[in-house]
Amino acid sequence: MAEIKFQVYNKSGGGATKAPATRRSKGHGFTTKCAALVKEQRSRIYILRRCATMLVCWYIQGDD
């Protein structure tokens, strides 16, 4: 199975300094990571669906 990689961007817009982690940000970080993973998987499924549709269309047109 392929390894899944994803990036989570800091939305605070801060500079190079990092703020210490708080209890509240841990839950939010997990939610953000899950949302990013879901978005990536939806994108992959969309691309696969488009490719499959094109292949089927080409196959059907080739039967003429």
Side-chain angles (χ1 to χ4, degrees), residues 4-51:
I4 299 172
K5 296 180 181 180
F6 57 93
Q7 292 180 331
V8 179
Y9 296 99
N10 186 2
K11 292 184 180 182
S12 66
T17 61
K18 291 184 178 181
T22 61
R23 284 183 181 258
R24 203 170 64 165
S25 67
K26 285 184 181 180
H28 183 68
F30 177 74
T31 303
T32 305
K33 288 178 185 179
C34 285
L37 184 60
V38 168
K39 185 176 181 180
E40 182 180 346
Q41 292 300 318
R42 287 182 66 190
S43 300
R44 288 182 184 201
I45 291 171
Y46 173 78
I47 292 168
L48 286 173
R49 190 175 65 226
R50 292 287 304 260
C51 291

Side-chain angles (χ1 to χ4, degrees), residues 47-62:
I47 292 168
L48 286 173
R49 190 175 65 226
R50 292 287 304 260
C51 291
T53 303
M54 281 194 297
L55 288 173
V56 168
C57 289
W58 286 342
Y59 179 77
I60 290 172
Q61 283 185 346

